[in-house]
Amino acid sequence: MANSRSGDSMTERIVRVLDTFTSERTMQTASEIARRTGLPSSTAHRIVGELIEQGLLERDEENRVRLGLRLWELALRGSSALRLRQAALPHMEHVQTLVREHTQLAVLEHDEALFLERLSHPDAGANITRVAGRLPVHASSSGLVLLAFADPALRERVLAGPLRAVSRETVTDAVALRALLITIRRRGFVVAPGSIEQVSTGVAVPVRDRGEVVAALSAVLPREAPTEPVIAALLDAAAAIEEDLRTSR
Amino acid sequence: MANSRSGDSMTERIVRVLDTFTSERTMQTASEIARRTGLPSSTAHRIVGELIEQGLLERDEENRVRLGLRLWELALRGSSALRLRQAALPHMEHVQTLVREHTQLAVLEHDEALFLERLSHPDAGANITRVAGRLPVHASSSGLVLLAFADPALRERVLAGPLRAVSRETVTDAVALRALLITIRRRGFVVAPGSIEQVSTGVAVPVRDRGEVVAALSAVLPREAPTEPVIAALLDAAAAIEEDLRTSR
């Protein structure tokens, strides 16, 4: 009943509809959505109609469709991402008062770094990351920390490549990357100058819950900024987050 | 194809599954989910399976199910809630450094105040609100502001009652509530002592985008705290958020 003749589930088709929305594309007509999903037009229109009926999508006065607050509520209310992010936020704010650039929290999701939170100073420098945005694990400082402490199977899969160059300084050589990950595990932090954008340096540390690395806490700085005080602030904040996660169980 | 014999859509059944997760119930077995949805067990189990396959739910080592990061990502990435909340956050942080209690951002969603963000000082007093949590519009200070500036049809629907008492001081008389809403529209802020919890006072102001009130910015204070400086801080922050919303268009 829930499966079409082509074998994809109704859930999969709903995901395809929701997946057409991005941070750059928050409003679409039902026809644009239909085209972008690649689903038969009648199927896509019917799913959009059902999603609007349930409040997961909303229609505005000009008949354009956007993601609904009900979807936001359902996704967040019981989310472990929210628990982690709520534990981290006060300590991220403290880092941010010291660093006054960008402070971020990321988790591993499908071999990429998914950013749960980002605090930015109005005068801060360049930074490509967005809340609910992703970056490759081998390029971003957060991703490198998550990869260094990830399940060995995942690490080998990523090392087997391809390792795409995000900037000229992204480490794309598997041997060099393997050595870097060993260093990160030993030191407990990474400084990654220019690996995403040439003008910036990423600094990241792991955050643990029940002994496992569950997130990376990072800062993005202008390339020439001193990194030592930032490393110290991030390590202190990670310890404080871990303590809050322990007591909030 | 997508509709069961009982006439509810597949989307509606997926929402029923996701809706069993709350901030107090972040982990469930598939059987608990099935029971709580009221759906036939085989249907519920099949939907849970599909949602896991798409990453909207995740299964842990002990075979319990939780909301997936993929759901979080899909819900946030293109969300207008995220845009509003990102515009508000730096200014909420500024309020929070002055007030050092709770600073919150809420929107109107299905006749209730839905909280998009909450910042709390570690030593702050009582506060029932949660991110992605809801409160009645006639009781919370945020809700009162949203109701005061809402569509008249919604306002009349709420005033027609029933007006449930959340605390002994919640305004539950329609005539008194109507007068309060007029005062809020005239003054541009509300001070609501004890209307949610007797030990706390809520203070809230409207936030406008394109001339429409789109959110309420609020602080929750201990009952005896002075409110004037908080009103001023919230009004200044709301103006700054409105300016950022204007320039981010």
Side-chain angles (χ1 to χ4, degrees):
Chain A
M1 191 170 60
N3 289 307
S4 74
R5 268 153 295 182
S6 62
D8 54 343
S9 71
M10 183 67 185
T11 306
E12 200 255 320
R13 285 178 278 163
I14 289 173
V15 168
R16 277 164 77 170
V17 167
L18 298 178
D19 209 13
T20 63
F21 291 88
T22 68
S23 55
E24 284 79 35
R25 198 161 63 211
T26 60
M27 291 283 205
Q28 305 178 83
T29 66
S31 301
E32 286 167 346
I33 295 172
R35 186 168 44 77
R36 288 180 178 126
T37 58
L39 293 169
S41 175
S42 63
T43 306
H45 277 87
R46 183 170 46 76
I47 294 173
V48 168
E50 284 187 21
L51 290 168
I52 289 172
E53 203 168 294
Q54 295 299 319
L56 305 197
L57 295 180
E58 291 169 354
R59 210 191 283 275
D60 74 359
E61 317 76 49
E62 295 158 53
N63 225 17
R64 290 173 310 175
V65 180
R66 63 176 172 227
L67 295 179
L69 281 170
R70 179 78 175 123
L71 175 64
W72 182 90
E73 181 186 23
L74 285 171
L76 263 82
R77 206 175 45 187
S79 166
S80 57
L82 182 61
R83 172 176 171 263
L84 180 57
R85 179 270 184 195
Q86 289 294 85
L89 189 59
H91 307 294
M92 292 178 68
E93 284 168 18
H94 185 65
V95 171
Q96 185 60 5
T97 59
L98 301 173
V99 176
R100 300 171 71 86
E101 288 286 337
H102 307 278
T103 308
Q104 307 167 135
L105 185 72
V107 294
L108 194 63
E109 157 66 14
H110 267 92
D111 299 9
E112 293 183 294
L114 174 66
F115 287 83
L116 296 188
E117 187 56 277
R118 163 184 162 172
L119 303 179
S120 294
H121 192 270
D123 308 325
N127 183 3
I128 202 173
T129 55
R130 290 175 179 275
V131 173
R134 291 169 176 249
L135 283 177
V137 275
H138 69 281
S140 60
S141 62
S142 300
L144 286 166
V145 159
L146 294 168
L147 186 61
F149 292 97
D151 187 74
L154 187 155
R155 206 153 58 226
E156 292 308 318
R157 190 163 67 238
V158 172
L159 284 164
L163 297 167
R164 186 172 64 86
V166 178
S167 79
R168 277 172 48 197
E169 290 170 276
T170 309
V171 178
T172 55
D173 174 70
V175 174
L177 180 56
R178 189 183 294 276
L180 176 59
L181 297 177
I182 292 169
T183 306
I184 295 170
R185 280 201 296 281
R186 191 176 60 229
R187 292 193 186 153
F189 66 84
V190 68
V191 177
S195 62
I196 292 284
E197 296 184 285
Q198 289 210 278
V199 295
S200 308
T201 294
V203 184
V205 306
V207 179
R208 289 177 177 80
D209 189 23
R210 301 171 195 261
E212 304 261 309
V213 171
V214 292
L217 183 68
S218 63
V220 174
L221 315 172
R223 184 65 180 257
E224 69 286 358
T227 54
E228 286 84 347
V230 178
I231 295 167
L234 290 173
L235 288 169
D236 290 351
I241 295 168
E242 289 169 2
E243 179 59 29
D244 282 3
L245 286 171
R246 205 160 24 241
T247 55
S248 77
R249 239 172 249 152
Chain B
M1 192 172 60
N3 289 306
S4 74
R5 267 152 297 185
S6 61
D8 54 345
S9 71
M10 182 67 186
T11 306
E12 200 256 321
R13 285 178 278 161
I14 288 173
V15 168
R16 276 164 76 170
V17 167
L18 298 178
D19 209 14
T20 62
F21 292 87
T22 68
S23 56
E24 284 78 36
R25 198 162 63 211
T26 59
M27 291 282 205
Q28 306 177 79
T29 66
S31 301
E32 286 166 347
I33 295 172
R35 184 166 47 74
R36 288 178 177 128
T37 58
L39 293 169
S41 175
S42 62
T43 305
H45 275 88
R46 183 170 46 77
I47 294 173
V48 168
E50 285 188 19
L51 290 167
I52 289 172
E53 203 168 293
Q54 295 299 321
L56 305 196
L57 295 179
E58 292 170 352
R59 209 191 282 278
D60 74 358
E61 317 75 50
E62 294 158 53
N63 225 15
R64 291 174 310 175
V65 180
R66 64 176 171 225
L67 294 179
L69 282 171
R70 179 77 177 126
L71 175 64
W72 183 91
E73 180 186 22
L74 286 172
L76 264 81
R77 207 176 43 188
S79 166
S80 58
L82 182 60
R83 172 175 171 262
L84 180 58
R85 180 266 183 198
Q86 289 295 84
L89 189 59
H91 307 293
M92 293 178 68
E93 284 168 19
H94 185 65
V95 172
Q96 185 60 5
T97 58
L98 301 172
V99 176
R100 300 171 70 87
E101 289 286 338
H102 306 277
T103 308
Q104 307 167 135
L105 185 73
V107 294
L108 194 63
E109 156 67 13
H110 266 95
D111 299 9
E112 292 182 294
L114 175 65
F115 287 83
L116 295 188
E117 188 54 278
R118 163 183 162 172
L119 303 179
S120 294
H121 191 270
D123 307 326
N127 182 3
I128 203 175
T129 56
R130 290 173 180 277
V131 174
R134 289 170 178 249
L135 282 177
V137 274
H138 70 281
S140 59
S141 62
S142 300
L144 286 166
V145 159
L146 294 169
L147 186 60
F149 293 97
D151 186 75
L154 187 155
R155 205 153 58 225
E156 292 309 316
R157 191 163 65 238
V158 171
L159 283 164
L163 297 167
R164 187 172 64 85
V166 178
S167 78
R168 275 172 49 197
E169 290 168 276
T170 309
V171 178
T172 56
D173 175 70
V175 174
L177 181 56
R178 190 183 293 277
L180 176 58
L181 296 178
I182 292 169
T183 306
I184 295 169
R185 279 201 298 280
R186 191 175 60 230
R187 291 191 188 155
F189 64 84
V190 68
V191 177
S195 62
I196 292 284
E197 294 185 286
Q198 289 211 279
V199 295
S200 308
T201 294
V203 183
V205 305
V207 179
R208 288 178 178 81
D209 190 22
R210 300 170 193 261
E212 303 260 308
V213 171
V214 292
L217 182 68
S218 63
V220 174
L221 316 172
R223 184 65 179 256
E224 70 286 356
T227 54
E228 285 84 345
V230 177
I231 294 167
L234 290 173
L235 288 170
D236 290 350
I241 295 167
E242 289 170 3
E243 180 58 28
D244 282 3
L245 286 173
R246 200 156 31 236
T247 55
S248 77
R249 241 173 246 150

